[in-house]
């Protein structure tokens, strides 16, 4: 395991900036802490601008209660301490007031994590904690009680959430994934009934492709370029909220036998070329683990020599359609039909039970498929085309969901669709 040499104060500044810049908390809201092996708790200051924190603003609270720093610690230090006492495995605590999770907190409901396997596995156990005064010992006791029972995240009634983790990255990715999933669920509710997954089906879906051998890789200049392209588009997809830090799968073909793709368990916001994996035939780069879509990537490249890039993601609005029975209608906007044509949907589990069947549905390099309760799969002759198709699908899905509250949705007529087919040579 690679040693992390980031100082706790620097990590807190980095992640609070990430939370604030993503619009997941306000200037005055939220707090983070890290407990180091000496028992010192580093925590963000109380009542201070979360958009301009620096290392010197972070407060250190020693085990004897003495405080080191130029500010007072967060007023919610008490519950941070009590969470660490309740769960000694946690070394980081995150509290935020993100929009979608606040919405769930004020209706006093827990977001569903059984809509997507990635969500179910990342977020862990979630509870809801009774309301109490902010910064009070009572609130600290209530939250600590939830964490004593093994939860990873607790939703605070009429307040926000608290997440714990073995590291600050772990706590953050749980939080971000749950906020992402809450937005998917909110959009899906407007479309109709939710299709929940059985836990046993989710467990089966986690099967990872197996490889016969490992290889040592010395990347060529072409492979270096491919690795950098994948990282650039993953970072872009993260900024566009097509993926969150905990998931997103992408690959580029190198030749007939080989391609480079994403690994498991690496934050997609900060993923770098060295994190990626070369797969060649039945062999995988030594010391690395491919993500759970490896078998599908392999099947697509084997079936389609014209496809050179694959992007698999869970965009919020598009996934709202994937977790309901409402089909995504591409015949409402010319760009949608031109780029996507008629979307093909596959039942949950198809990508690992029948990867060749899914791959066969991609008749050329102009395809986007929707895997129910799982992901959208976009392919192209290059990464830009695959990414564009995914982005168009998400923007179209968002527009359709927004239109439902405005009035009756009118589809482009069949003769006008035929005009598009004729003018642009569509199928």
């Amino acid at each position: 395991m690679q040693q992390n040499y980031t100082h706790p104060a620097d990590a807190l500044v980095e992640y609070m900036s990430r939370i604030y810049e993503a619009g997941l908390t306000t200037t005055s809201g939220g707090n983070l802490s890290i407990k180091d092996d000496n028992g010192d708790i580093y925590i963000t200051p109380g009542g201070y601008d979360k958009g301009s924190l620096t290392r010197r603003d972070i407060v250190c609270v020693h085990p004897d209660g003495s405080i080191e720093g130029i500010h007072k610690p967060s007023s919610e230090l008490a519950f941070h301490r009590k969470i660490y006492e309740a769960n000694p495995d946690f070394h980081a605590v995150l509290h935020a007031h993100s929009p979608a999770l606040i919405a769930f907190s004020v209706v006093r409901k827990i977001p569903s994590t059984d809509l997507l396997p990635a969500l179910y596995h990342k977020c862990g156990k979630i509870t809801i904690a009774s309301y109490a005064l902010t910064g009070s010992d009572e609130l600290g006791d209530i939250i600590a009680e939830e964490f004593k029972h093994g939860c990873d995240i607790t939703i605070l009634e009429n307040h926000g959430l608290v997440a714990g983790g073995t590291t600050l990255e772990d706590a953050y990715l749980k939080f971000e994934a749950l906020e992402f999933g809450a937005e998917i669920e909110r959009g899906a509710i407007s479309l109709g009934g939710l299709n929940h997954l059985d836990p046993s089906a989710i467990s089966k879906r986690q099967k990872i492709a197996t490889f016969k051998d490992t290889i040592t890789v010395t990347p060529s200049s072409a492979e270096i370029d491919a690795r950098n392209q994948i990282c650039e588009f993953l970072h872009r997809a993260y900024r566009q909220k097509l993926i969150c830090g905990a998931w997103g799968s992408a690959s580029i073909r190198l030749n007939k036998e080989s391609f480079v793709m994403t690994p498991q368990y690496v934050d997609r916001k900060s993923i770098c070329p060295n994190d990626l994996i070369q797969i060649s035939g039945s062999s995988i780069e030594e010391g690395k683990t491919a993500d759970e879509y490896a078998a599908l990537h392999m099947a697509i490249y084997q079936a389609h020599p014209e496809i050179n890039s694959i992007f698999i993601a869970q965009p919020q609005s598009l996934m709202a359609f994937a977790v309901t029975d409402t089909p995504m209608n591409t015949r409402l906007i010319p760009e949608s039909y031109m780029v996507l044509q008629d979307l093909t949907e596959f039942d949950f589990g198809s990508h690992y039970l029948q990867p060749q069947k899914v791959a066969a549905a991609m008749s050329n390099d102009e395809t986007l498929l929707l895997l129910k309760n799982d992901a959208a799969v976009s392919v192209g002759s290059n990464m830009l085309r695959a990414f564009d198709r995914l982005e168009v699908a998400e923007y179209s899905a968002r527009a359709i969901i927004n239109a439902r509250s405005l009035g009756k949705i009118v589809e482009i007529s069949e003769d006008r669709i035929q005009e598009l087919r004729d003018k642009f040579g569509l199928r």
Side-chain angles (χ1 to χ4, degrees):
M1 179 183 293
Q2 186 175 1
Q3 180 64 45
N4 182 3
Y5 288 101
T6 304
H7 189 277
D10 294 324
L12 291 172
V13 171
E14 176 188 348
Y15 277 92
M16 185 54 83
S17 296
R18 185 168 171 178
I19 292 169
Y20 182 76
E21 289 169 6
L24 301 180
T25 200
T26 60
T27 296
S28 58
N31 38 77
L32 307 175
S33 72
I34 294 174
K35 183 178 180 180
D36 69 13
D37 292 338
N38 297 323
D40 291 330
I41 297 175
Y42 291 84
I43 191 166
T44 49
Y48 194 79
D49 178 11
K50 301 302 188 296
S52 64
L53 282 180
T54 66
R55 190 182 206 263
R56 68 190 297 269
D57 296 314
I58 302 302
V59 182
C60 180
V61 182
H62 299 294
D64 63 4
S66 60
I67 295 174
E68 184 179 340
I70 61 174
H71 302 290
K72 292 181 179 179
S74 168
S75 62
E76 292 176 311
L77 169 64
F79 78 61
H80 286 254
R81 278 175 159 162
K82 289 180 179 181
I83 290 171
Y84 292 129
E85 291 170 3
N87 191 332
D89 291 334
F90 284 162
H91 288 272
V93 172
L94 178 155
H95 171 51
H97 307 150
S98 55
L101 293 176
I102 286 181
F104 276 86
S105 82
V106 299
V107 297
R108 302 189 173 189
K109 291 182 178 179
I110 297 174
S112 303
T113 60
D114 57 0
L115 298 175
L116 300 172
L119 193 61
Y120 181 88
H121 287 288
K122 187 62 198 175
C123 295
K125 181 180 178 182
I126 305 169
T127 65
I128 190 161
S130 301
Y131 179 83
L133 179 66
T134 299
S136 66
D137 287 339
E138 181 189 9
L139 179 62
D141 290 337
I142 289 170
I143 294 172
E145 192 63 30
E146 297 298 328
F147 281 93
K148 281 179 184 176
H149 294 101
C151 79
D152 294 271
I153 298 172
T154 189
I155 306 293
L156 310 182
E157 290 182 347
N158 299 79
H159 190 160
L161 96 159
V162 178
T166 54
T167 64
L168 188 54
E169 180 184 274
D170 179 42
Y172 176 82
L173 291 179
K174 290 174 185 176
F175 153 63
E176 185 185 58
L178 189 62
E179 172 73 10
F180 208 87
E183 286 286 7
I184 292 171
E185 183 172 356
R186 189 175 62 83
I189 288 170
S190 73
L191 298 175
L194 301 176
N195 294 329
H196 298 271
L197 295 171
D198 185 271
S200 63
I202 294 175
S203 297
K204 290 178 183 176
R205 184 269 192 189
Q206 281 301 102
K207 291 167 60 178
I208 304 298
T210 56
F211 298 89
K212 293 180 180 179
D213 299 298
T214 61
I215 52 174
T216 302
V217 174
T218 302
S220 65
S221 57
E223 181 174 340
I224 290 170
D225 184 53
R227 287 173 180 255
N228 278 281
Q229 278 191 56
I230 291 172
C231 291
E232 288 167 8
F233 276 99
L234 284 168
H235 299 162
R236 187 165 166 181
Y238 182 87
R239 293 194 301 270
Q240 295 293 84
K241 296 190 175 180
L242 302 178
I243 60 174
C244 70
W247 57 67
S249 180
S251 69
I252 291 178
R253 184 200 292 273
L254 300 175
N255 53 50
K256 184 178 179 181
E257 296 293 328
S258 305
F259 60 94
V260 176
M261 73 169 296
T262 40
Q264 275 195 310
Y265 311 131
V266 177
D267 184 356
R268 276 23 182 177
K269 182 181 186 295
S270 57
I271 196 168
C272 64
N274 188 56
D275 294 319
L276 301 180
I277 301 167
Q278 185 192 124
I279 293 174
S280 183
S282 60
S283 300
I284 187 170
E285 186 174 340
E286 187 176 17
K288 296 184 178 180
T289 303
D291 69 41
E292 62 269 31
Y293 296 100
L296 182 56
H297 286 263
M298 294 171 72
I300 293 170
Y301 287 132
Q302 288 167 4
H304 299 283
E306 77 280 9
I307 291 174
N308 294 311
S309 296
I310 302 169
F311 209 118
I312 303 175
Q314 291 91 353
Q316 291 174 341
S317 299
L318 190 56
M319 292 286 55
F321 287 92
V323 301
T324 68
D325 291 326
T326 302
M328 164 73 176
N329 189 343
T330 60
R331 298 185 173 211
L332 302 177
I333 309 160
E335 184 189 28
S336 297
Y337 190 78
M338 289 163 58
V339 174
L340 305 172
Q341 298 177 54
D342 292 315
L343 278 184
T344 301
E345 296 184 349
F346 279 87
D347 291 338
F348 176 77
S350 298
H351 82 272
Y352 67 86
L353 293 172
Q354 299 174 304
Q356 286 76 22
K357 182 178 178 181
V358 176
M362 296 179 165
S363 55
N364 57 32
D365 73 340
E366 303 296 323
T367 308
L368 186 141
L369 304 178
L370 204 56
L371 305 176
K372 299 297 286 185
N373 288 87
D374 202 307
V377 184
S378 182
V379 301
S381 56
N382 56 53
M383 183 57 75
L384 178 61
R385 293 182 74 85
F387 179 86
D388 178 56
R389 193 162 295 110
L390 191 65
E391 195 174 49
V392 168
E394 172 62 3
Y395 274 57
S396 301
R398 190 184 310 165
I400 294 167
I401 291 172
N402 290 342
R404 291 173 67 90
S405 64
L406 300 177
K408 181 182 178 181
I409 293 177
V410 180
E411 186 177 285
I412 299 172
S413 64
E414 180 60 34
D415 60 329
R416 295 299 190 183
I417 290 291
Q418 189 59 50
E419 282 183 343
L420 288 172
R421 292 194 191 106
D422 294 341
K423 181 174 177 60
F424 295 98
L426 305 177
R427 299 192 306 276

